[in-house]
Amino acid sequence: MRPSLWLHCRRFAVCALVLGHAVFAAGPALAGRHSQPLATGQTDCFDDLGLAIDCAGSGQDGEFQAGAKRQLVDNGDGTISDLATGLMWEKLSADGSVHQFDNQYKLQSTKIPELNATRFAGYTDWRVPNVRELETLQDFDRRGHATPTEFDHDCVPGCTILTCSCLWRPAFYHSSSIYAESAFFAWDVGFRLGWIHPIEKYSGQPIRAVRTIVGAHPRSRTLRTGQTRCYSLEPFERQEVPCAGTGEDAETRTGLRRSFTDNADGTITDDVTGLTWEKLSSDGSIHDGNTATYYWDDSALKMAQLNAERFAGHDDWRLPNIRELMTLRTISRVGPAAYPAFNNHCEPGCSTQTCSCSGTGGAFWSSTTLPYKRTEAWTLDVYAGAQLPLSKPLAHARVRAVRGGL
């Protein structure tokens, strides 16, 4: 076992060595039976004018800081392990090698075969991350560097993966997940501003390789995207192809399979994350999600009413942070990009007992402020499932309450 990893294991008492692989048992971030989304990293709170405020009673991300805490370990061999997600990541360099941070590739490139052929860091199971895996590298508390410092430090010309860790800020990074509405596009993640949206998959973008740590605690894994189809990577072709050998999300299907329970009280529990969500209706009530929209500040009034009424028997409802909110989108659907549990029988006048609504357009507010533009907050785009910012004082968006995960 590498020294850095051994010291980490001694500190948290979470490792064993089996067949040369690190095996992680339930440590501080993995306790319990659910797979929590990672915490965003946001610790401060801001009003709709972007001014800092006391977090106590704000209902914002910085007050609750919900989610699993990241546990990053530099393995000293050009890789970084995240014990909270069970993923091992390639570090990027500035030395002109295959790890060069600003190398640009089409989605199906020569990079992954090269890493596997040369047994990079001793492994042959490197792959392009799916979008859920890639977005775990985002840090929502850093301005202009939306990723932890472990992936962005000491990057000077000529540095290697043993001496630095590089990030190309101007670009989005390719994921292996294809956009459901058009096979021309793949879901990409930006690490300067933090946006997540589709980009042409045959365009040149950086790729950061990932692998799943053998023996990782089952509940440390990320959520499955739901993608099941693969497509030709030739420009302007929509042809569906066999997944074998493509390296696409639909071939690897990594992550935990999703399932949901309708609690018959106007709420839905995510069986994997353990979060309980408010169902939305189309009846003009406080639960109306088909047409009712709010300014960002006004979402707190809805939470207060739900808690005062002890909706579904609870008084700890809150606005979800952006990581929690993004667990509700499936990339296998558009218009809306929602799982069937959150989008069925939505007819005018229906209640939370008879339907579940997500709408077909617009966005849902999160409680997470943009660190570089504090008058804006992150939202989930209803139609496509993108992660986009909206103006707190100017924009209207839908609101869905959540509880648990603290």
Side-chain angles (χ1 to χ4, degrees):
M1 183 178 288
R2 300 179 186 93
S4 59
L5 186 54
W6 169 242
L7 290 174
H8 186 92
C9 291
R10 289 190 64 186
R11 179 181 175 191
F12 289 101
V14 296
C15 295
L17 198 62
V18 178
L19 300 178
H21 295 284
V23 179
F24 301 93
L30 308 182
R33 62 188 183 88
H34 294 116
S35 180
Q36 286 182 299
L38 288 175
T40 67
Q42 194 154 101
T43 57
D44 298 314
C45 300
F46 307 92
D47 65 15
D48 62 354
L49 298 179
L51 301 175
I53 60 172
D54 188 344
C55 281
S58 68
Q60 294 184 28
D61 186 357
E63 176 183 11
F64 294 107
Q65 299 179 35
K69 307 307 179 188
R70 199 188 299 277
Q71 297 181 37
L72 295 175
V73 179
D74 190 318
N75 300 312
D77 61 358
T79 69
I80 295 171
S81 293
D82 187 342
L83 307 190
T85 63
L87 297 173
M88 180 183 291
W89 293 93
E90 170 202 17
K91 291 176 69 176
L92 298 179
S93 65
D95 59 357
S97 71
V98 67
H99 309 292
Q100 174 74 21
F101 75 101
D102 55 0
N103 284 347
Q104 298 179 53
Y105 303 90
K106 294 180 181 180
L107 181 55
Q108 195 175 77
S109 71
T110 59
K111 177 173 182 174
I112 300 302
E114 182 175 347
L115 293 179
N116 288 327
T118 57
R119 297 185 59 86
F120 168 54
Y123 302 104
T124 60
D125 55 354
W126 295 100
R127 53 186 168 78
V128 179
N130 68 39
V131 67
R132 287 200 188 279
E133 294 168 330
L134 190 57
E135 66 194 27
T136 67
L137 297 188
Q138 291 185 306
D139 186 322
F140 294 90
D141 203 40
R142 302 191 72 206
R143 292 189 181 192
H145 312 266
T147 194
T149 55
E150 286 84 351
F151 295 93
D152 183 27
H153 67 82
D154 300 313
C155 188
V156 295
C159 73
T160 73
I161 52 176
L162 301 181
T163 61
C164 66
S165 193
C166 294
L167 176 75
W168 196 27
R169 297 182 191 91
F172 281 73
Y173 282 66
H174 273 319
S175 85
S176 61
S177 303
I178 307 304
Y179 179 42
E181 187 170 50
S182 173
F184 295 163
F185 298 86
W187 283 99
D188 283 21
V189 178
F191 292 101
R192 184 172 72 89
L193 301 180
W195 291 39
I196 301 174
H197 63 74
I199 289 181
E200 294 91 340
K201 64 187 180 183
Y202 49 84
S203 68
Q205 302 291 339
I207 287 176
R208 188 189 295 274
V210 73
R211 59 178 296 275
T212 300
I213 300 171
V214 174
H217 188 277
R219 287 295 168 185
S220 72
R221 295 174 190 158
T222 53
L223 305 176
R224 190 171 296 189
T225 68
Q227 194 153 90
T228 59
R229 296 180 179 180
C230 299
Y231 296 89
S232 169
L233 289 177
E234 293 300 317
F236 310 114
E237 284 192 15
R238 297 175 182 266
Q239 182 179 359
E240 187 173 341
V241 298
C243 283
T246 63
E248 289 185 16
D249 183 359
E251 178 187 15
T252 58
R253 301 194 190 187
T254 55
L256 297 171
R257 189 186 300 273
R258 307 304 300 281
S259 66
F260 303 92
T261 298
D262 190 316
N263 300 311
D265 60 0
T267 70
I268 295 170
T269 296
D270 185 328
D271 302 323
V272 181
T273 66
L275 296 172
T276 297
W277 295 90
E278 171 198 16
K279 289 180 70 176
L280 297 180
S281 64
S282 185
D283 59 359
S285 72
I286 189 174
H287 306 294
D288 192 302
N290 210 32
T291 58
T293 58
Y294 300 77
Y295 289 113
W296 190 71
D297 263 1
D298 290 343
S299 65
L301 301 177
K302 175 175 177 176
M303 299 303 120
Q305 183 174 340
L306 292 177
N307 288 325
E309 296 174 354
R310 292 188 60 84
F311 168 54
H314 300 285
D315 60 2
D316 56 353
W317 295 99
R318 56 186 173 82
L319 189 65
N321 67 40
I322 188 58
R323 286 200 191 281
E324 293 171 323
L325 189 58
M326 292 295 281
T327 68
L328 294 189
R329 63 84 156 84
T330 173
I331 64 165
S332 62
R333 300 169 183 264
V334 295
Y339 290 96
F342 295 94
N343 188 57
N344 61 72
H345 307 295
C346 190
E347 313 250 341
C350 71
S351 72
T352 57
Q353 302 299 315
T354 60
C355 68
S356 190
C357 297
S358 285
T360 57
F364 280 96
W365 285 120
S366 81
S367 62
T368 306
T369 294
L370 272 69
Y372 58 88
K373 195 171 185 182
R374 294 167 178 172
T375 57
E376 297 185 359
W378 286 110
T379 69
L380 167 62
D381 167 62
V382 172
Y383 182 83
Q387 177 179 295
L388 302 171
L390 286 179
S391 170
K392 293 177 184 179
L394 299 178
H396 285 78
R398 294 179 174 82
V399 170
R400 189 192 296 273
V402 71
R403 61 177 300 272
L406 300 179

